[in-house]
């Protein structure tokens, strides 16, 4: 069963096994950020928390973020991930509403801004809760292991994605990632980049592990880890 945790009067996080998703409410509408790994009832959970109309906005298209998608007719996300992660095939009754960098959504006294950060996936985005100074980072900033292997990923772009977040870090005070510790300080983008740079510079030794039937390189950094080809 998913665990609903109230952050404040208009924000909740829903812990679903090893991943979390979020419900954000304004005065006019609500946004659900992702929909969990094993939570087809995600929309029902959200509707028990608010009477506002709810839209689904995805940070990216990995399978552990989309389990409740089928309850929505429209899914707001980057087109790259809707296509590369085959969401159209998995949820044929959904319609993509593509989002791009700098798009904004007015929920009513609450503005969300899209930050395109391709790396973890080609279509990864972060979501800036502007007035509340919170960054919802998806999987791109966290203190556990970040997936950067397989044809859905863009490891060559990951440094640029982190640097982009660092360049706007004066606009947020906290980071809410989808995995690991629920709340990170705004400087954690720098810490993830520091660990990633050590991987690129050969300063962290890789261990070969089998993950979902594929041999990958596991790097264990001081602040987070990575799974790479």
């Amino acid at each position: 069963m998913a665990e609903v945790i109230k952050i404040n009067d208009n924000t909740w996080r829903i812990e679903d096994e090893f991943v979390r998703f979020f419900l954000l409410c304004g005065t006019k509408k609500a946004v659900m950020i992702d929909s969990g790994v094993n939570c087809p009832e995600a929309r029902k959970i959200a509707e028990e928390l608010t009477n506002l109309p709810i839209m689904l906005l995805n940070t990216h298209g990995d399978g552990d973020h989309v389990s409740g998608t089928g309850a929505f007719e429209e899914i707001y996300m980057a087109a790259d991930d809707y296509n590369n992660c085959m969401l159209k095939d998995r949820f044929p009754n959904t319609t993509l509403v593509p989002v791009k960098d700098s798009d904004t959504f007015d929920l009513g006294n609450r503005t969300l801004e899209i930050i395109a950060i391709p790396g973890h996936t080609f279509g990864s985005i972060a979501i800036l809760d502007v007035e509340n100074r919170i960054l919802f980072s998806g999987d791109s900033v966290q203190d556990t292991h970040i997936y950067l292997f397989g044809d859905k990923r863009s490891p060559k772009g990951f440094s640029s994605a982190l640097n982009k977040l660092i360049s706007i870090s004066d606009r947020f005070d906290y980071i809410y990632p989808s995995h690991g510790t629920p709340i990170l300080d705004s400087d954690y983008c720098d810490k993830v980049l520091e660990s990633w740079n050590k991987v690129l510079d050969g300063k962290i030794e890789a261990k070969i592990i089998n993950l979902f039937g594929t041999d990958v390189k596991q790097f264990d950094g001081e602040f987070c880890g990575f799974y790479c080809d």
Side-chain angles (χ1 to χ4, degrees), residues 94-106:
T94 62
T95 299
L96 169 68
V97 183
V99 302
K100 60 184 185 302
D101 193 48
S102 300
D103 281 352
T104 58
F105 297 90
D106 180 6

Side-chain angles (χ1 to χ4, degrees), residues 31-123:
V31 163
M32 193 165 73
I33 299 178
D34 296 338
S35 61
V37 64
N38 188 26
C39 198
E41 72 278 13
R43 182 169 187 166
K44 181 179 179 182
I45 291 172
E47 289 173 342
E48 291 173 351
L49 298 172
T50 181
N51 293 320
L52 294 168
I54 303 166
M55 57 180 279
L56 175 63
L57 174 60
N58 260 71
T59 59
H60 61 293
D62 279 346
D64 56 335
H65 294 257
V66 300
S67 67
T69 298
F72 292 83
E73 293 181 359
E74 296 180 330
I75 177 171
Y76 291 73
M77 68 185 303
D80 280 341
D81 270 22
Y82 188 77
N83 296 319
N84 292 342
C85 300
M86 297 180 291
L87 293 189
K88 183 177 182 179
D89 296 332
R90 184 172 177 183
F91 303 105
N93 294 323
T94 62
T95 299
L96 169 68
V97 183
V99 302
K100 60 184 185 302
D101 193 48
S102 300
D103 281 352
T104 58
F105 297 90
D106 180 6
L107 307 187
N109 296 327
R110 189 174 196 175
T111 307
L112 304 183
E113 181 178 336
I114 303 300
I115 315 295
I117 48 170
H120 170 64
T121 63
F122 284 98

